[in-house]
Amino acid sequence: MKPKTRNAPPRAMAMLEALRGLGYSTAAALADVIDNSISAGAGEVRVDFTWDGQNSRVAVLDDGCGMDDGELESAMRLGDKNPLDARAAHDLGRFGMGLKTASFSQCRRLTVATVKDGAASCLRWDLDELAANPESGWLLFEGPAPGSKQFIAGLKGKKAGTLVLWEILDRVVTPGYTSDDYHDLIDNVESHLAMVFHRLLQGPRAKLRLLLNGSLVAPWDPFMSGHPAKPWASPTTNHPTDYGVVSVQCHVLPHRDKLTNAEFEASGGPAGWTAQQGFYVYRNERLLVAGGWLGLGNSRAWNREEAHRLARIRLDIPNTADADWKIDVRKSTARPPISLRPWLMSLAENTRERARHVFAYRGTPTPAQGNTPVEQVWRVDRVKAGMRYRIDEKHASVAAVLANAGELQPLVRAMIRVIEETVPVQRIWLDTAENKETPRTGFEGEPNAAVIEVAQVLFDDLIERKGLSIEEARKSIARTEPFQKYPALVAKLGSKK
């Protein structure tokens, strides 16, 4: 005996309004629309924002293969494709929902016009029309809305291509919204698209031209590829799985001391240095996840911390991995399978430690004279109760004072001990966390005269007290913190004025 069943289709307006709350930002929604253009073989995509108060609109025009009428209807239908179905290797979609859910999250009227082999088709979803007749069901309207035909004119004369038009931007142009807000939004969208599609946009053989209001979008490379001050990048490591090969390359970015102000600002990314650390997950060179540690960690998941902000890891998965990696409809989250977590943890721990070292030591290089390590003023003593920071009495400046202190040496040692016991660790940590930058040290921002003044005192002591030659004294100063950063100034010590 067959079980009794009932047909319970969703109510159109209730479902459509619910789908509007998936949490897309405008930038993420546009990236989803552009994915369809890329899957359609587009070499150029134009995104145009037009400000007209409540009648403002956004259009996305591509030169892809276009769709015939049947394909357009399929593309406009919610859930037309089963996420479990196999996809072409280059396909950036999965759920058959992105165009609709992304668009509905921003607007109440979605019009898609397309041309294939010279034949044009146009369909639209109009939530206001459906709301006026809630029992009408899942009605697609043919052609643009009255008065909107001019907005799809970009396809005129083309043999192939697709134009997506958003109108009635009720989730964007809210009460009090101004043209300034709209232009700020455009800037935000540009930053996001430059990041999400950077691998498709960059290089002499770029696969995509992306224009925003007529201007080319320049790619933002989170890994600062080719920068001469970049301290480390690993070889690409591949891991075979049942669904294809997962590839990883680890990167440690330069410390701020090695960058110009413009480079530092640009390389921080849309969310800033601390937020942009971690894994960058790509599928078909399209960025899905920008930063974060994917829930990895030891006893608890790692947080984004200042000390690891220079660590960024590129991770490529095939589009057959969506289910295993729990890719969501918005293509904004990913979670590695249990089987890969130990491998990824090992790579990430190594990268984090390298990044922490560069961050802590401000990217300080070894002196030019061989591999002799830099003599640092502070050392770290690790004891059972934790760590203590101590002043190294072998450092040239400290040793010089102690050697000349005479009967005051106990008083000097007491002063050093007080300094050691009152290092404002918590204040430094708090200031660093709040200001998103380490405090200035190493004579940073000071004039050359200030560096020379201190170095000259130590230089004279090495010659007079220790009997070193001019050249030996210069070498000693050159491998002493913080003077190793000023080789040209050290080279002038002892020269006749």
Side-chain angles (χ1 to χ4, degrees), residues 24 27-36 38-39 90-93 98 102 192-193 195-201 207-208 280-290 314-319 327-333:
Y24 282 93
L30 280 168
D32 240 9
V33 173
I34 294 170
D35 284 344
N36 291 324
I38 295 170
S39 295
H90 67 278
D91 196 343
L92 294 176
H192 185 78
L193 298 183
M195 176 177 67
V196 168
F197 298 109
H198 77 93
R199 289 172 69 181
L200 301 172
L201 296 171
K207 299 177 182 178
L208 179 68
Y280 286 68
V281 182
Y282 297 82
R283 185 181 63 177
N284 290 342
E285 298 186 313
R286 192 270 202 205
L287 182 63
L288 303 179
V289 176
R314 193 186 79 191
L315 194 158
D316 285 276
I317 63 174
N319 71 351
I327 306 300
D328 68 351
V329 174
R330 292 181 297 134
K331 291 177 250 184
S332 61
T333 62

Side-chain angles (χ1 to χ4, degrees), residues 9-21 78 127 130-131 134-135 137-138:
R11 297 185 183 276
M13 277 309 299
M15 176 60 78
L16 291 170
E17 290 292 346
L19 290 174
R20 306 193 75 202
L78 278 83
L127 301 190
L130 294 178
E135 301 304 320
W138 300 84

